[in-house]
Amino acid sequence: MNLRAPQAACLTSPAWRWLALLTLAAWLSGCASLPSEVDRPVSTALANPEQTRIGNAVQQRAAKAGTLNDSGFALVNSAELAFTSRMALIDAAQKTLDIQYYAIHADETTERMFDAMRAAAARGVRIRILLDDFNTAGKNAQVLKIAFEPNIELRLFNPLPGNRRSLFFRILGSLKDVDRIQRRMHNKIFVADNAVAITGGRNLGETYFGQGEGTNFVDADVLAAGRIARELSRSFDLYWNNPLAYPVQSLMTRDEIEKIKPPPKAAAASPPPAVAQAPDGPSVQPRPAAPATAPGVRTTTAPDGTVSVIEPLPDSTNLALLDWTWAPAVLLVDKPSKIAADADDVQQAQDTTVDGLLQLMSQASGDLLIVSPYFVPGQRMMDQFAAIRQKGVRIRVLTNSLASNDAPAAHVGYARYRKDLLALGIEIYEMRAEQEGSLTSFGSTGSSGSAGGSRASLHSKIVVLDQRLLVIGSMNLDLRSQLQNTEVALAIRSPKLAGETIALIEPAMARGAYKVELVDGQLLWRAPQGSKLADTRIEPDASTGLKLMLKLIGPFAPEEML
């Protein structure tokens, strides 16, 4: 998920209401400020990871593999493995856990992870959590309470001043500094004992682990061990010790966080299961009762009365059973100073994570596969695509459709370039929101792991170059990732991992996405294979409101804010 230009809450509100909001915003902007004196003790990653159980296991696996490469990798290709691998690292950690995310959602899945962290902290593990501040309002402010647990520190990066009860009013209170609001720490890193790390597209929350009751994100991560994990830790330290990282205690107290918690909802009375008589038709039978479930199991009931069981995620997995691949790799990561830099300076420097990725892409000689949920190329990127195509390189792009995009404003920027991309000979696939069964991650289809809904939203950030170089991380191919957000990615030279990734993505493109074509100068969406759907010339599956938004906002919205 990414920060996008906020949508107007009500386009038909009277002018005086907007005037009142603007007046309130001006007042809030004048009142809210960040503390000037902050106690920010410097700390760094574990110095001797090889002396821990995890670090020793990494060395043994490398020795057994007989490799000269100092970094090992394993694809995290399912929502269940994404959760269990993190839980396994928490359970196995002996000394440190370093955790850096754009968003951590307050829900049951996160609470289970936090419970495991509390247990780790109780046995002496030092835990540092670095979280971008943008999503820490409303219900999600409750995740901040973990900062007050023994042996656990939580710092907020680039915090917004003011009330956390509502994200809307937090933004209003920071309108005097809109440019800073737009600049977010988008990195995703999870490191245990400075020996094994996880990075990729996922934030922490149930929708990233296939447990959401509505839409679930299709995402991918990679486990990384050895030298590359230590490099990820060094990047974490740079952010952790940066002046933009504020300990939670410098911003609010535990009582203040607790007061943000909404009151518990009263349980609704269940109507008796009597048979109702329809006015002009047969009797309407009651909906089936939810099946009896074990502790931790939830159920959801669809409008048609279908009851779906949400199986709880297991708590851990044996990472030693994974197929580890030892390969050369490079860390691409933005400096924390990118947040404070002027956007023009960032563009001129051309040394960001996305710039590094573009340089790698320019070296493609045969095939380029791109997965980017928010795909807003901009003119400079379009010029680079044109140069790559002139070499005869096949380029395929999997992105969200208007219906599947959780940030539809981002689709506005992408739609501007769609015809030009197709005219270059680039193959475009758009993820369907409605999937056969449930698609919560590449390689995971069907009802297992479903959270009562079959809606999917693409969230993976992947590039595969010439079937031998895999790049996976937090970055999108858009101007926001290039110029405003900080990002992190791993570039891994491994035909094996590249091939495994392609084998996961291609079936999703064929059976879970529309192929967009340009026919007689007009867009045509070819229905997915075996879907029994018809081809269409309009944005498939999208509501009238979304299509209207595309037409109204499309010509005016600035690309760097989409």
Side-chain angles (χ1 to χ4, degrees):
M1 193 185 300
N2 210 337
L3 168 63
R4 303 288 162 184
Q7 302 297 310
C10 181
L11 297 176
T12 60
S13 296
W16 67 266
R17 292 186 181 178
W18 289 107
L19 179 61
L21 284 175
L22 290 174
T23 303
L24 177 61
W27 179 75
L28 290 172
S29 297
C31 294
S33 62
L34 294 171
S36 56
E37 299 292 331
V38 177
D39 183 20
R40 194 181 287 107
V42 174
S43 60
T44 56
L46 182 67
N48 301 301
E50 68 280 357
Q51 296 178 6
T52 66
R53 182 169 54 228
I54 300 177
N56 183 259
V58 170
Q59 290 187 326
Q60 290 182 9
R61 290 297 295 266
K64 184 177 180 180
T67 179
L68 297 177
N69 294 305
D70 54 12
S71 300
F73 304 93
L75 285 179
V76 180
N77 56 19
S78 73
E80 180 178 310
L81 181 58
F83 180 81
T84 58
S85 57
R86 286 166 172 83
M87 292 292 283
L89 290 181
I90 296 171
D91 292 342
Q94 291 179 295
K95 297 292 185 181
T96 62
L97 285 167
D98 291 331
I99 297 164
Q100 180 179 14
Y101 280 94
Y102 168 66
I104 300 179
H105 296 171
D107 55 38
E108 293 178 20
T109 305
T110 295
E111 191 56 34
R112 287 175 64 180
M113 206 170 286
F114 277 8
D115 283 343
M117 290 182 196
R118 293 184 186 100
R123 66 175 185 266
V125 177
R126 181 199 70 183
I127 300 177
R128 299 185 294 173
I129 303 173
L130 184 59
L131 176 62
D132 184 85
D133 184 59
F134 187 76
N135 291 285
T136 60
K139 175 185 175 182
N140 290 332
Q142 296 307 308
V143 304
L144 304 181
K145 290 191 295 187
I146 200 169
F148 298 87
E149 301 280 353
N151 232 15
I152 300 178
E153 297 177 79
L154 193 156
R155 294 183 182 181
L156 295 173
F157 200 84
N158 194 20
L160 306 178
N163 196 306
R164 293 179 184 272
R165 290 186 179 277
S166 165
L167 177 59
F168 177 70
F169 280 104
R170 288 192 78 204
I171 294 174
L172 279 179
S174 301
L175 285 180
K176 64 180 181 180
D177 199 0
V178 174
D179 187 59
R180 190 173 69 85
I181 297 175
Q182 291 289 320
R183 297 172 178 274
R184 308 315 317 170
M185 183 193 75
H186 199 236
N187 311 39
K188 286 112 178 187
I189 295 174
F190 197 112
V191 190
D193 285 341
N194 199 14
V196 176
I198 303 174
T199 191
R202 282 184 177 87
N203 295 297
L204 301 186
E206 59 188 16
T207 57
Y208 296 94
F209 299 116
Q211 296 291 294
E213 295 184 5
T215 299
N216 284 290
F217 288 112
V218 178
D219 224 320
D221 298 316
V222 65
L223 277 155
R227 185 260 310 164
I228 203 72
R230 296 190 293 275
E231 290 193 15
L232 285 165
S233 289
R234 280 194 288 272
S235 77
F236 177 94
D237 286 346
L238 288 175
Y239 283 83
W240 180 260
N241 296 309
N242 190 274
L244 286 175
Y246 286 69
V248 167
Q249 290 83 349
S250 70
L251 300 171
M252 58 196 314
T253 66
R254 185 186 181 109
D255 288 342
E256 288 172 332
I257 299 170
E258 188 67 34
K259 289 177 181 177
I260 300 173
K261 183 186 295 184
K265 295 181 179 179
S270 300
V275 175
Q277 183 69 33
D280 298 297
S283 60
V284 179
Q285 298 298 320
R287 291 181 177 179
T293 57
V297 175
R298 293 182 291 148
T299 63
T300 59
T301 304
D304 64 358
T306 303
V307 178
S308 299
V309 178
I310 308 171
E311 296 290 344
L313 288 166
D315 283 334
S316 63
T317 188
N318 189 345
L319 298 182
L321 298 178
L322 295 176
D323 181 16
W324 289 85
T325 298
W326 299 87
V330 174
L331 173 65
L332 304 175
V333 63
D334 288 322
K335 300 180 181 68
S337 57
K338 181 181 178 183
I339 295 292
D342 182 85
D344 292 335
D345 293 337
V346 173
Q347 190 162 16
Q348 291 173 10
Q350 297 187 20
D351 62 353
T352 69
T353 295
V354 173
D355 288 319
L357 174 57
L358 292 175
Q359 291 175 16
L360 290 173
M361 289 165 51
S362 68
Q363 300 173 22
S365 59
D367 184 81
L368 193 58
L369 175 60
I370 298 169
V371 180
S372 182
Y374 315 117
F375 184 51
V376 187
Q379 192 54 54
R380 188 155 66 91
M381 204 179 298
M382 287 295 294
D383 292 342
Q384 186 154 358
F385 283 139
I388 296 172
R389 284 289 300 141
Q390 285 178 357
K391 297 190 299 180
V393 176
R394 182 190 188 191
I395 302 178
R396 291 176 291 170
V397 176
L398 175 62
T399 190
N400 272 309
S401 63
L402 177 59
S404 70
N405 205 321
D406 72 305
H411 195 86
V412 170
Y414 154 67
R416 294 174 183 171
Y417 294 97
R418 189 160 42 192
K419 286 187 176 181
D420 290 338
L421 289 163
L422 292 169
L424 287 174
I426 294 173
E427 302 170 44
I428 297 179
Y429 296 82
E430 294 183 2
M431 177 72 72
R432 280 203 72 208
E434 303 292 339
Q435 297 287 333
E436 293 295 328
S438 290
L439 180 63
T440 58
S441 57
F442 291 122
S444 175
T445 57
S447 60
S448 178
S450 169
S454 59
R455 290 186 63 83
S457 181
L458 184 67
H459 200 258
S460 307
K461 302 93 163 55
I462 297 171
V463 172
V464 184
L465 188 148
D466 290 338
Q467 303 180 31
R468 61 182 177 82
L469 180 70
L470 168 65
V471 183
I472 184 168
S474 68
M475 71 292 155
N476 298 294
L477 280 179
D478 65 359
L479 296 181
R480 175 174 294 282
S481 283
Q482 186 175 17
L483 301 178
Q484 304 206 52
N485 292 348
T486 63
E487 308 287 357
V488 62
L490 297 182
I492 309 164
R493 195 179 71 202
S494 168
K496 180 176 181 293
L497 287 176
E500 291 176 2
T501 305
I502 292 171
L504 289 170
I505 295 171
E506 286 184 336
M509 295 169 72
R511 296 192 292 270
Y514 285 92
K515 185 178 182 184
V516 188
E517 298 179 0
L518 199 59
V519 179
D520 298 327
Q522 299 300 315
L523 295 174
L524 176 67
W525 284 262
R526 298 286 188 191
Q529 295 176 10
S531 66
K532 298 181 181 179
L533 297 169
D535 297 347
T536 179
R537 288 191 176 274
I538 59 175
E539 300 273 357
D541 306 328
S543 67
T544 302
L546 284 176
K547 295 173 186 175
L548 181 61
M549 183 206 72
L550 193 66
K551 291 183 178 180
L552 292 178
I553 298 179
F556 308 107
E559 291 176 351
E560 65 274 7
M561 295 181 66
L562 298 176

